[in-house]
Amino acid sequence: MPPIYAFEAKHAAAAPALNEWCARIKRTKCSHLHELRKIVSGSVDYVGGQCMYIFNIGGNKYRILTSIHFNRQVVYIRAILTHAVYDEHSKNGTLLHL
């Protein structure tokens, strides 16, 4: 099951925010992080040591951890987490293992 559907099955309240994020990302044609931030209202951060882009969605209730290949216009979803679970993994240094 794709990560978005699996997360929605457990967290139904996240569905509207996930669907909006997916639609926006599918329409997006960016060549770098600064362009992407303009499109998603600044709600994305780059974690360089982990080569990960982290989106805050749903009023900062959820995190989508991604890898982005701007040259190929491809976004890979590595994980979708609640804010609390994200904070726990961030604190424990286990985000890379997701």
Side-chain angles (χ1 to χ4, degrees), residues 3-4 18 21-22 25 33 36 40 43-57 62-70 74-81 86 95-96 98:
I4 289 179
L18 286 168
W21 179 84
C22 283
I25 291 300
L33 177 61
L36 183 60
V40 296
S43 64
V44 60
D45 293 309
Y46 176 67
V47 181
Q50 299 175 7
C51 297
M52 202 177 335
Y53 294 85
I54 302 171
F55 292 84
N56 303 318
I57 66 162
Y62 311 104
R63 300 280 194 266
I64 302 176
L65 286 62
T66 68
S67 293
I68 301 175
H69 294 264
F70 289 103
V74 176
V75 176
Y76 296 98
I77 296 174
R78 296 175 64 172
I80 304 171
L81 308 170
Y86 170 84
L95 285 174
L96 267 182
L98 298 174

